[in-house]
Amino acid sequence: MKKIGVTGGIGSGKSVVSALLSAYDVPVYLADSEGKRLSNESPYIRKRLTDLFGNEIYTGNRLDRPKLASLIFNDEKLLAKVNKIIHPVVSKDFRKWVRNQHTELCALESAILYESGFDSEVDVVLMVYAPVELRLTRVVERDNLSEADVMKRMNQQMSDALKRDKADYVIINDGIQPLIPQIETFIKIIN
């Protein structure tokens, strides 16, 4: 089975591309949502996070994500510690998920594919690219955030230029070039 890593900056359209891959019978593991689920369910993650932040980082059985975000947002060392706790568990869960797939292709969607080391879990990397101005507009509208907040998030991610250089394939999601023919071509190429 060939594993595809789907990545791109915030607002690039990774979710749209992943949904299209799913429509072509390519199962997609969503690292962000699975990471959230595992942060609530994994005793290992819970123990490590409560050791780091105290029991109040959880409310009942749920990680207090806004509280965690406020603690790590401007602290790169703390963010790195949290990522070292969560990312290996997500990688292990992805490998388990892959074993349960019975298709020629599957995919892992992650905005931080390279930063998390998830690129080592896949055979091919597909980057979804959209111009910064379009990404900014999409995220402001989608998440009801200020442009400054979105730019701050964008600046914390690996640059598009670097992702493009590292990726095996790029899909352009600029609202002009149709996505479906690009997806079909990509699937034909890797098959």
Side-chain angles (χ1 to χ4, degrees), residues 4 6 17-26 28 107 126 183 186-187:
I4 305 160
V6 179
V17 168
S18 292
L20 288 171
L21 286 170
S22 292
Y24 284 90
D25 298 322
V26 177
V28 181
L126 171 65
I183 297 284
F186 170 71
I187 290 172

Side-chain angles (χ1 to χ4, degrees), residues 1-6 21-22 25-29 94-95 97-109 121-124 186 190-191:
M1 174 185 306
K2 193 170 278 189
K3 299 177 290 275
I4 305 160
V6 179
L21 286 170
S22 292
D25 298 322
V26 177
V28 181
Y29 181 93
F94 172 68
R95 288 190 296 271
W97 177 86
V98 166
R99 287 192 297 272
N100 291 315
Q101 304 309 307
H102 305 288
T103 56
E104 290 182 28
L105 301 171
C106 71
L108 177 145
E109 177 195 309
E121 299 287 343
V122 299
D123 304 303
V124 176
F186 170 71
I190 65 168
N191 268 333

Side-chain angles (χ1 to χ4, degrees), residues 61-78:
N61 289 328
R62 302 198 65 78
L63 176 63
D64 188 336
R65 299 192 68 75
K67 180 182 273 188
L68 178 65
S70 71
L71 293 168
I72 64 176
F73 195 66
N74 290 315
D75 189 331
E76 288 184 25
K77 288 181 182 176
L78 211 47

Side-chain angles (χ1 to χ4, degrees), residues 79-145:
L79 173 62
K81 286 181 183 180
V82 170
N83 287 342
K84 282 184 181 176
I85 293 167
I86 296 173
H87 293 162
V89 177
V90 174
S91 287
K92 183 178 178 183
D93 191 64
F94 172 68
R95 288 190 296 271
K96 179 180 169 187
W97 177 86
V98 166
R99 287 192 297 272
N100 291 315
Q101 304 309 307
H102 305 288
T103 56
E104 290 182 28
L105 301 171
C106 71
L108 177 145
E109 177 195 309
S110 175
I112 55 170
L113 189 82
Y114 295 109
E115 301 92 324
S116 63
F118 295 156
D119 60 310
S120 66
E121 299 287 343
V122 299
D123 304 303
V124 176
V125 174
L126 171 65
M127 184 217 178
V128 182
Y129 170 80
V132 171
E133 307 77 35
L134 181 57
R135 292 172 47 208
L136 183 61
T137 301
R138 286 174 180 166
V139 179
V140 166
E141 290 174 5
R142 181 190 72 197
D143 297 347
N144 200 26
L145 296 170

